[in-house]
Amino acid sequence: MGNYQCTVCGFRYNELHGDPKNGIPENTPFYQLAGTLCSRCGLQGERHQKQPNPKYRSLEAEYYDFFVGKRGINFYRHWLASYHDQVSVLDLGIGTGRLAVELLKDGASVTGVDWSEDMLTVAERRFKRFNHDIELFQEDILHFSLNKKFTHIILTEGTFQECTSPGEQKMIIQKAKEHLETGGYLSIDLVFPNELSVQKETSQKQVSEHKTIQLHTNTKVSFARQMMYYTVYFELERKGLLESRYRVERELSLLTVQELIYLLTMEGFHVIGSYDNANSSMVDIYQSSQQLAREENLSEKEIEVKNGYLNPYKEDAWNGGGYPLSNAVQKNGHSFTVIAKS
């Protein structure tokens, strides 16, 4: 649900929680308040602005990598390795740089944009530790402007969905197109919950001998509004005693793969395919696959494997994880990547 603030008096309204003081039930859309509460503006007009999702900060930024897992890393490494020319990547929403550092190891040139100072601080520590040279910019991905173009632009882990309005989503695609070389590629991850309307999960990681960090995630889905709302609680304990706690709420747009393909097509992109990014193989999820006969082996089907009609054997097949959903994504949820060419 949206979070709105009056730019004149500072009044804030969160649709998810409603306003119990004024008798407004939870999940009441802001537009239904028009003509009520405030005698000056009636909670309508340009003075009330929807607020963006909160920045990643504090314990969430510091311990993000402890819970996000490995989802998408092998997928992007294999995808970019298929291009023999020098690859230049713009990572929009680079966060802690967990994917970028792997791409740098493979020889790609990477530039990162993120508006979270705390996340970029973690990223800088990581790149310094591995002695990698990278340009980082603290900017909003809706309004950034760089004086260079790239062969590939990526938005991973639901970054695109944090912009919840069609206008913002269109703006990101346009911004990406401005920064792509002719014939460059745009890749966007979409994260989906499982079929439950409400889900909860708890994860824990031992940080040191006496210190643990816990992540509690509460997720609520509105399929009617195509939105996913989640609250995360980070709890840092030392020797069993709570040392610090951090809580944040966010919302993600439940944009479908087909809707994203439509948006990209309307902005002049040619969509290459849609892929399950938990796997490293580039098999289009909408592509009809062939079946092996009982007496056949993969070694006899090199052409079919090469063309993506059969999956090759993979030793490192499972790379679960995800944020804010981890176990839920592995068991029942999905994360797909849509790749388009300018």
Side-chain angles (χ1 to χ4, degrees), residues 206-245:
Q206 194 78 25
V207 180
S208 63
E209 182 180 0
H210 301 297
K211 187 164 66 172
T212 60
I213 183 74
Q214 287 190 351
L215 170 64
H216 307 275
T217 306
N218 298 331
T219 306
K220 181 177 181 180
V221 175
S222 172
F223 291 106
R225 302 189 67 175
Q226 287 189 257
M227 297 291 289
M228 179 175 75
Y229 314 100
Y230 69 90
T231 304
V232 294
Y233 303 83
F234 283 82
E235 294 181 335
L236 185 65
E237 295 182 356
R238 190 183 300 272
K239 295 184 178 181
L241 298 176
L242 183 63
E243 185 173 281
S244 57
R245 193 170 192 250

Side-chain angles (χ1 to χ4, degrees), residues 46-281:
E46 295 181 353
R47 60 193 282 177
H48 291 273
Q49 297 180 356
K50 186 176 181 181
Q51 303 301 298
N53 275 312
K55 296 181 180 181
Y56 288 73
R57 56 181 295 272
S58 187
L59 295 179
E60 184 179 32
E62 186 68 24
Y63 293 102
Y64 177 88
D65 288 336
F66 282 69
F67 298 101
V68 69
K70 298 174 63 179
R71 177 175 289 274
I73 291 179
N74 279 347
F75 174 85
Y76 278 103
R77 292 185 69 181
H78 281 77
W79 176 47
L80 294 175
S82 66
Y83 298 91
H84 302 294
D85 296 331
Q86 178 61 36
V87 171
S88 58
V89 179
L90 175 59
D91 190 344
L92 295 179
I94 190 172
T96 62
R98 72 176 189 97
L99 172 60
V101 72
E102 302 297 332
L103 302 182
L104 287 164
K105 290 177 184 178
D106 293 338
S109 170
V110 182
T111 299
V113 174
D114 203 294
W115 74 337
S116 168
E117 180 180 0
D118 289 4
M119 293 287 263
L120 289 177
T121 297
V122 176
E124 288 170 348
R125 290 204 304 261
R126 168 179 269 122
F127 297 131
K128 185 177 181 180
R129 185 167 67 250
F130 288 98
N131 198 28
H132 286 312
D133 184 25
I134 182 173
E135 286 188 293
L136 297 174
F137 297 90
Q138 186 181 345
E139 293 191 46
D140 186 343
I141 61 172
L142 286 172
H143 305 292
F144 77 97
S145 180
L146 306 179
N147 190 27
K148 58 190 303 186
K149 295 192 175 185
F150 304 86
T151 62
H152 297 74
I153 295 180
I154 60 177
L155 293 101
T156 63
E157 288 293 324
T159 298
F160 185 80
Q161 292 162 274
E162 290 203 23
C163 298
T164 56
S165 72
E168 290 176 337
Q169 293 163 357
K170 181 179 179 180
M171 190 182 303
I172 292 180
I173 294 174
Q174 291 173 342
K175 276 287 182 182
K177 192 170 186 179
E178 292 173 7
H179 289 81
L180 273 176
E181 294 181 359
T182 302
Y185 294 86
L186 172 62
S187 174
I188 299 175
D189 288 359
L190 293 180
V191 176
F192 301 96
N194 60 25
E195 296 179 356
L196 298 177
S197 59
V198 177
Q199 62 189 72
K200 297 181 180 181
E201 63 175 84
T202 297
S203 304
Q204 178 173 300
K205 176 69 177 180
Q206 194 78 25
V207 180
S208 63
E209 182 180 0
H210 301 297
K211 187 164 66 172
T212 60
I213 183 74
Q214 287 190 351
L215 170 64
H216 307 275
T217 306
N218 298 331
T219 306
K220 181 177 181 180
V221 175
S222 172
F223 291 106
R225 302 189 67 175
Q226 287 189 257
M227 297 291 289
M228 179 175 75
Y229 314 100
Y230 69 90
T231 304
V232 294
Y233 303 83
F234 283 82
E235 294 181 335
L236 185 65
E237 295 182 356
R238 190 183 300 272
K239 295 184 178 181
L241 298 176
L242 183 63
E243 185 173 281
S244 57
R245 193 170 192 250
Y246 179 74
R247 173 184 177 276
V248 66
E249 294 179 346
R250 289 199 185 84
E251 57 182 6
L252 296 180
S253 170
L254 284 183
L255 191 74
T256 67
V257 171
Q258 293 289 2
E259 286 169 336
L260 177 55
I261 290 174
Y262 177 76
L263 276 175
L264 290 165
T265 303
M266 292 298 293
E267 294 303 318
F269 281 89
H270 169 63
V271 176
I272 304 299
S274 309
Y275 311 92
D276 179 351
N277 64 26
N279 301 301
S280 58
S281 62

